[in-house]
Amino acid sequence: MSDQSPNPTPDDVPFRYTAALAQEIELRWQDEWDRRGTFHTPNPVGALTDGAGRHAEPGSRAFFVMDMFPYPSGAGLHVGHPLGYIATDVVGRYRRMCGDNVLHALGFDAFGLPAEQYAVQTGQHPRVTTEANIAIMQRQLRRLGLAHDPRRSFATIDPEYVRWTQWIFLQIFQSWYDEDAVRPDGGTGRARPIAELVAEYEAGTRALPADVEGVTPGATWADLDAATRRRVIDSRRLAYLSDTPVNWAPGLGTVLANEEVTSEGRSERGNFPVFQRNLRQWNMRITAYADRLTDDLERIDWPEKVKSMQRHWIGRSTGARVRFAVQGGEQVEVFTTRPDTLFGATFLVVAPEHALLDEVPAAWPDGTSSAWTGGHATPSDAVAEYRAQAAAKTARERQQDAGRKTGVFTGHLAVNPVNGELLPVFTADYVLMGYGTGAIMAVPGGDERDFQFAEAFGLPVVYTVDAPEGTPPGARTHDGLVVGSSNDEISLDGLDVAQAKERIVAWLEAKGVGERTVTYRLRDWLFSRQRYWGEPFPVVYDEDDTPIALPDSALPVELPEVPDFSPRTYDPDDADSEPEPPLGRNTDWLHVELDLGDGPKTYRRDANTMPNWAGSCWYHLRYLDPHADDRLVDPALEEYWMGPGHGSQPAGSPGGVDLYVGGVEHAVLHLLYARFWHKVLYDLGHVRSAEPFHKLFNQGYIQAYAYTDERGVYVPAAEVVEDEASPTGFTWDGQPVNREYGKIGKSLKNAVSPDEMYEAYGADTLRVYEMSMGPLDLSRPWETRAVVGAQRFLQRLWRNVVDETTGELVVSDDAPSAETLRVLHRTIADVREDMEAMRINTAIAKLIVLNNHLTTLERAPRAAVEALVVMTAPVAPHITEELWARLGHDESVVHASFPQADPQHLVEDTVTCVFQVQGKVRGRAEVPTSVTDDALRELALADEGVQRALAGRDVRTVVVRAPKLVNVVPA
């Protein structure tokens, strides 16, 4: 770089900070960072060192910051995508300047349905498509100047990564859950190797399960044949095969996990109908971890919203199982969270799949209401038709249809164990076999849904909760004293609900008709997919169709080349169709000869693949030790980067990634699955951290205006102009258009590529703009015209250091004035506080205030300028790196220490300034009495309360009454 400039003229300013100069600076410094290994993060041991070949200093404070895995889309990035990546980059750079050893890397979640669907359409191999998409994203992300360690990047499709994903699956397959085993953290219940279970069976120290075919009472392990032994073991595995109800999407040709089905009973991808089918599929026994997954939420620093979503999904309920005798049939067991209302039960409801319905009375009992029969002559006719109707619905459709109150009487009568009354047993499709026992006792006097059902079918209502005189009819869902609940042996009358629960459960247990229990909404994780583009299962099947784990030496099992990438798809409404995965047509790969210890034999591979969630369950561990080939991760590295209480995590923390940033939409998919896999690895001793992610932060989204013409068709947003003559205020191609606010994307024709921003403004300007738009956890509108404000800040910063005409330094070596010292150290203190709390937008506002102050001086003092450059570096790394070098520093600004405020300069006269939006107070700030209008305007617009009140609206004007009042008027 040369400071020589051509002969200047009044209009010739060759060193002005323009988009062209920004690009030259940014590309040059990105190359220089790569050459120096600036962002090579050193491990404490092993091959990975810093750019100078040094390991992490002993005792250095580790800080592991991570983004949620991006999926490489063919469309590349739009300006909404980088928001989280920039935020984590800012945090990581800041923590590095505060002395932390920062680990920040980015890989790619590369298996998935989009690439497979593209392969089906074009015939291009998904790997070719995916790797091309990764290259596009890597270029766009590199151009942002992200401080990732490039040596730690990978994709889930890399054979080395697939190998370890398959290895983890085998660890889970070869494990079982011992509810009585003590964990390292002192808790009870953990995964153990299957070999230990077999040893206990052989020694007779563990009783054989009685519910497995072939196991007779009193049998020992030695009494069992090989097939029965295998059934016993397979019944306990954490990864197991079973014929279970699955969500079958004929239009996709694959089954889906519950979490991949929308509330409307359709596939998340493609919006196809989903049907219930019984198929033999791999499952993960995540239900074994339901309590730990719930309880350990209290040990991690996550948004309460996400914790609540996981608690609700797991759905732990404490109550009682109660058995009702059925006249002429098997007894029915129900689960209820309110056993205190048993005296108010007036009917039972069972799921259409319940075994009680396999046999029903030949005729309707005397006194059966015609409203109960569905117009059928016999119970068998009524039940058969209702079962057929229910089978055509998904579980979610059935829950949504609960308000319609469909159902039929089964002809069965059950005996209420507390009073001997006969209760009619109905079947209704809102009751699911997968939750509880598949049967409920209905208490219309205490439950709104039961009350509506009772009204629809003319069933009696009995109240068991006291209510004031004149209370209208309906379910009494309020707390109150129990009434009408006694028999010759027990009375609950006059007790509160908690006391009544304890007393009735004790009575049920003494009578042998019930017991205290816990149930869950969570189901085991369906793990098979009828797709090509996923990890093959590392198992083969013998002649008895028994799954056999492949040895580690046979991993990875790689996908074969196939002529057709698509599973067989069907008419979306063909509920009777059967899955046919693409690998099932590749017979050369499907049948393989192996010697697994019994001599060479022909085995069959699994034609299904793992779901795309598999690779994202453990990728945080690969960043630590990306080239490990002899073990999953070096224990010393996992302890250093993720161990309990490491770095700045509090003592007693379960450990995990220090900061994990991503969207809230993954709350009950990726985040729950990853916690489960990590806990299995913890139980088996492969990691010491009990949780994968210590702190979670959900960023908001960048949205943008979209425009529709009179037909409702979206038009290119970039071509729309403001037009006062238009009735809507906007026109496209001379015609009025309507403006709306929505997600950025191709479908709304409002996408803006970061490449456009790089060319028009530079990457640093884009970074500053996105970080200053508002609080990180809120969504905000993109407005290209507003980007210029971020550019002006950087141009002023540049002019405070560099003469635009000559390129010479313009800083002064004189000591700062007392006023400048006050502004500087107040800024340092405030920016530090904001950065610690990830309030990056308000930190930028305070940097602007300091920068503007320095522009009022004839020459800015070096001490203030250098502090400002260092504080700005996390947000705008390229321009600050250039300025730092021009200020005479040989070492990168990345390694500069973040300034510390001097308390003696923080004492000044301040006043509380009130921030209003449309006259209503939305925030406050302590400001110097000498604060300028511009500074107050910046602070008010960055305030979180103001941003929330604006809710994405444009600002018409800002009225400043320094130093005590700012009123923001929305457009």
Side-chain angles (χ1 to χ4, degrees):
M1 181 191 64
S2 172
D3 284 349
Q4 300 302 310
S5 62
N7 295 325
T9 66
D11 297 321
D12 190 0
V13 280
F15 293 95
R16 173 168 290 170
Y17 184 75
T18 61
L21 180 56
Q23 176 170 288
E24 186 275 323
I25 289 171
E26 290 163 2
L27 294 175
R28 176 162 44 80
W29 276 108
Q30 287 161 14
D31 290 341
E32 185 66 13
W33 291 333
D34 285 347
R35 187 187 68 79
R36 296 181 183 181
T38 300
F39 303 121
H40 287 188
T41 298
N43 279 339
V45 296
L48 294 183
T49 61
D50 67 10
R54 299 168 299 198
H55 283 107
E57 290 287 338
S60 59
R61 189 171 65 180
F63 185 80
F64 185 5
V65 57
M66 203 169 98
D67 306 273
M68 286 191 183
F69 242 179
Y71 181 81
S73 164
L77 301 176
H78 59 63
V79 292
H81 290 123
L83 181 68
Y85 305 143
I86 298 171
T88 53
D89 190 60
V90 171
V91 172
R93 287 172 176 273
Y94 167 72
R95 296 301 294 255
R96 189 179 285 109
M97 288 177 155
C98 292
D100 291 356
N101 185 22
V102 175
L103 171 54
H104 193 196
L106 192 72
F108 296 91
D109 191 11
F111 281 120
L113 194 55
E116 183 167 291
Q117 290 176 326
Y118 187 75
V120 170
Q121 295 165 9
T122 65
Q124 180 169 281
H125 196 288
R127 180 176 293 278
V128 174
T129 306
T130 302
E131 289 178 346
N133 294 345
I134 288 173
I136 292 170
M137 286 190 69
Q138 285 177 322
R139 176 189 60 78
Q140 291 182 311
L141 291 172
R142 183 182 189 270
R143 188 66 181 79
L144 268 176
L146 302 176
H148 296 151
D149 185 340
R151 304 168 304 169
R152 298 175 186 261
S153 187
F154 54 84
T156 53
I157 61 174
D158 296 344
E160 298 81 6
Y161 192 87
V162 171
R163 171 195 173 196
W164 288 109
T165 303
Q166 293 171 338
W167 182 88
I168 296 172
F169 173 86
L170 291 179
Q171 297 298 300
I172 300 172
F173 174 68
Q174 300 283 32
S175 300
W176 62 292
Y177 198 78
D178 184 349
E179 295 179 351
D180 301 317
V182 177
R183 299 192 299 273
D185 61 10
T188 302
R190 64 179 175 87
R192 295 175 59 194
I194 283 288
E196 296 179 7
L197 177 63
V198 173
E200 292 183 10
Y201 284 146
E202 289 176 338
T205 55
R206 181 173 293 274
L208 295 172
D211 57 350
V212 175
E213 179 187 349
V215 179
T216 57
T220 67
W221 187 254
D223 297 329
L224 306 184
D225 59 25
T228 305
R229 289 181 179 181
R230 184 58 194 256
R231 282 195 297 271
V232 169
I233 295 303
D234 287 350
S235 72
R236 304 296 300 275
R237 294 184 188 274
L238 286 177
Y240 63 95
L241 284 165
S242 71
D243 292 310
T244 53
V246 298
N247 301 305
W248 166 236
L252 286 176
T254 189
V255 300
L256 303 171
N258 288 338
E259 297 86 346
E260 295 172 303
V261 181
T262 69
S263 58
E264 290 77 32
R266 304 178 75 85
S267 62
E268 274 195 332
R269 288 200 178 274
N271 195 36
F272 290 108
V274 177
F275 302 93
Q276 292 287 298
R277 292 291 306 278
N278 276 328
L279 297 172
R280 190 169 187 242
Q281 305 283 300
W282 282 104
N283 293 266
M284 292 276 182
R285 207 179 300 274
I286 191 174
T287 50
Y289 285 78
D291 284 330
R292 288 168 66 183
L293 289 170
T294 300
D295 295 340
D296 287 356
L297 289 169
E298 299 303 319
R299 305 177 63 198
I300 51 182
D301 185 6
W302 284 21
E304 187 55 40
K305 177 181 180 180
V306 177
K307 290 184 179 183
S308 296
M309 292 169 74
Q310 289 213 353
R311 290 190 194 102
H312 176 76
W313 193 261
I314 297 166
R316 181 168 65 189
S317 299
T318 302
R321 288 180 181 261
V322 184
R323 288 176 286 280
F324 290 73
V326 176
Q327 289 188 342
E330 297 290 333
Q331 66 181 8
V332 174
E333 185 174 76
V334 308
F335 170 77
T336 176
T337 60
R338 293 293 304 273
D340 57 294
T341 64
L342 259 167
F343 286 92
T346 60
F347 59 100
L348 301 186
V349 186
V350 299
E353 300 84 4
H354 200 286
L356 181 70
L357 305 190
D358 294 342
E359 291 188 20
V360 296
W364 296 114
D366 292 342
T368 297
S369 167
S370 61
W372 299 2
T373 66
H376 294 281
T378 65
S380 59
D381 290 343
V383 168
E385 180 174 314
Y386 194 81
R387 281 181 134 180
Q389 293 173 3
K393 298 180 181 179
T394 67
R396 296 201 181 192
E397 284 178 318
R398 285 164 61 166
Q399 290 289 289
Q400 284 189 313
D401 289 347
R404 295 173 45 231
K405 300 301 174 289
T406 66
V408 293
F409 178 38
T410 67
H412 285 299
L413 296 173
V415 180
N416 190 328
V418 298
N419 56 21
E421 293 191 6
L422 294 178
L423 310 180
V425 181
F426 284 75
T427 182
D429 60 12
Y430 71 83
V431 178
L432 306 177
M433 275 306 298
Y435 181 66
T437 65
I440 65 167
M441 68 176 203
V443 184
D447 182 273
E448 188 61 41
R449 186 170 61 179
D450 293 346
F451 182 82
Q452 292 172 1
F453 195 97
E455 277 199 317
F457 289 89
L459 292 157
V461 178
V462 174
Y463 293 105
T464 60
V465 176
D466 194 17
E469 189 173 342
T471 299
R476 297 177 183 175
T477 57
H478 60 272
D479 290 334
L481 298 182
V482 176
V483 296
S485 300
S486 64
N487 59 30
D488 293 341
E489 299 179 9
I490 185 174
S491 174
L492 309 181
D493 294 343
L495 301 179
D496 61 29
V497 170
Q499 294 170 325
K501 282 183 179 180
E502 289 296 319
R503 184 172 295 184
I504 192 63
V505 170
W507 185 84
L508 291 168
E509 290 176 336
K511 301 291 286 186
V513 294
E515 54 273 328
R516 190 183 323 272
T517 191
V518 179
T519 192
Y520 305 87
R521 181 177 292 107
L522 181 68
R523 300 296 91 199
D524 280 343
W525 177 10
L526 179 66
F527 204 69
S528 296
R529 297 293 183 274
Q530 288 67 48
R531 298 176 185 159
Y532 171 77
W533 193 229
E535 299 93 342
F537 283 97
V539 299
V540 291
Y541 298 86
D542 64 13
E543 62 274 11
D544 298 320
D545 209 29
T546 300
I548 299 171
L550 290 172
D552 290 355
S553 60
L555 305 182
V557 178
E558 297 194 60
L559 289 166
E561 296 296 325
V562 296
D564 182 4
F565 301 107
S566 60
R568 183 180 177 187
T569 57
Y570 302 85
D571 183 290
D573 296 311
D574 185 0
D576 297 325
S577 52
E578 291 283 344
E580 183 183 293
L583 290 178
R585 298 191 292 270
N586 193 309
T587 55
D588 290 343
W589 179 85
L590 198 64
H591 301 286
V592 59
E593 186 174 285
L594 299 169
D595 185 348
L596 299 179
D598 298 325
K601 291 171 58 177
T602 298
Y603 297 91
R604 177 178 57 83
R605 297 190 190 274
D606 198 312
N608 296 314
T609 54
M610 299 185 199
N612 61 298
W613 307 107
S616 61
C617 278
W618 72 279
Y619 72 112
H620 49 287
L621 297 174
R622 193 63 174 175
Y623 287 140
L624 313 183
D625 202 3
H627 308 300
D629 57 6
D630 60 340
R631 52 192 165 187
L632 181 69
V633 60
D634 186 329
L637 300 182
E638 195 269 337
E639 174 78 15
Y640 176 77
W641 290 112
M642 293 184 62
H646 79 274
S648 56
Q649 289 186 18
S653 80
V657 174
D658 294 281
L659 176 63
Y660 192 31
V661 175
V664 73
E665 68 272 14
H666 297 295
V668 293
L669 287 165
H670 157 61
L671 288 173
L672 194 62
Y673 296 156
R675 293 182 67 215
F676 163 57
W677 273 39
H678 195 88
K679 286 181 181 297
V680 176
L681 293 173
Y682 170 77
D683 289 351
L684 297 177
H686 299 299
V687 297
R688 286 207 61 230
S689 48
E691 285 281 339
F693 313 119
H694 171 68
K695 181 178 177 63
L696 174 70
F697 186 92
N698 295 131
Q699 91 274 13
Y701 297 94
I702 293 179
Q703 297 173 302
Y705 290 117
Y707 301 85
T708 57
D709 62 19
E710 59 183 3
R711 302 166 298 164
V713 175
Y714 289 101
V715 303
E719 299 173 13
V720 172
V721 296
E722 290 190 30
D723 187 345
E724 293 182 359
S726 168
T728 64
F730 303 95
T731 58
W732 174 74
D733 199 22
Q735 301 300 313
V737 290
N738 296 299
R739 185 170 77 167
E740 63 183 56
Y741 184 46
K743 187 177 180 181
I744 292 181
K746 290 187 295 184
S747 61
L748 271 61
K749 296 188 178 180
N750 62 350
V752 179
S753 167
D755 294 337
E756 298 174 43
M757 292 297 102
Y758 301 151
E759 183 177 355
Y761 299 98
D764 278 343
T765 294
L766 175 63
R767 289 172 60 108
V768 171
Y769 175 63
E770 292 211 3
M771 290 297 95
S772 62
M773 291 171 73
L776 272 176
D777 59 338
L778 295 183
S779 294
R780 70 289 308 275
W782 175 267
E783 182 56 68
T784 299
R785 290 170 299 180
V787 178
V788 70
Q791 186 184 43
R792 288 194 188 112
F793 162 55
L794 297 181
Q795 287 174 330
R796 291 189 188 112
L797 174 63
W798 179 264
R799 286 197 296 270
N800 274 325
V801 181
V802 178
D803 186 294
E804 292 182 329
T805 302
T806 66
E808 296 175 352
L809 288 181
V810 293
V811 297
S812 165
D813 289 323
D814 295 340
S817 67
E819 180 186 3
T820 296
L821 286 172
R822 280 197 300 271
V823 175
L824 171 63
H825 287 274
R826 171 50 58 196
T827 301
I828 293 171
D830 290 348
V831 168
R832 269 189 170 271
E833 181 180 327
D834 287 341
M835 293 292 276
E836 293 289 341
M838 290 183 67
R839 295 191 298 264
I840 302 173
N841 63 311
T842 56
I844 292 172
K846 287 156 188 172
L847 292 173
I848 291 173
V849 171
L850 173 59
N851 193 47
N852 289 346
H853 168 78
L854 296 181
T855 62
T856 66
L857 308 179
E858 183 176 348
R859 297 182 74 187
R862 174 181 287 270
V865 165
E866 292 197 344
L868 174 58
V869 168
V870 171
M871 288 189 287
T872 306
V875 185
H878 308 91
I879 186 175
T880 51
E881 193 77 89
E882 179 73 8
L883 293 175
W884 193 244
R886 286 173 177 261
L887 286 163
H889 298 278
D890 295 327
E891 192 174 47
S892 169
V893 72
V894 168
H895 303 300
S897 295
F898 206 86
Q900 295 274 4
D902 187 337
Q904 70 172 319
H905 297 301
L906 298 179
V907 180
E908 59 179 324
D909 292 332
T910 62
V911 64
T912 300
C913 183
V914 173
F915 300 148
Q916 298 179 338
V917 177
Q918 289 183 302
K920 293 184 178 180
V921 177
R922 299 299 185 182
R924 293 178 173 84
E926 286 295 312
V927 299
T929 54
S930 59
V931 67
T932 65
D933 287 3
D934 286 345
L936 282 179
R937 183 179 294 103
E938 296 283 358
L939 290 173
L941 291 176
D943 183 78
E944 292 194 19
V946 171
Q947 287 284 336
R948 292 180 195 277
L950 287 172
R953 293 176 291 175
D954 289 341
V955 174
R956 189 172 74 199
T957 188
V958 179
V959 179
V960 180
R961 298 287 183 264
K964 293 187 176 182
L965 178 68
V966 181
N967 184 36
V968 180
V969 182

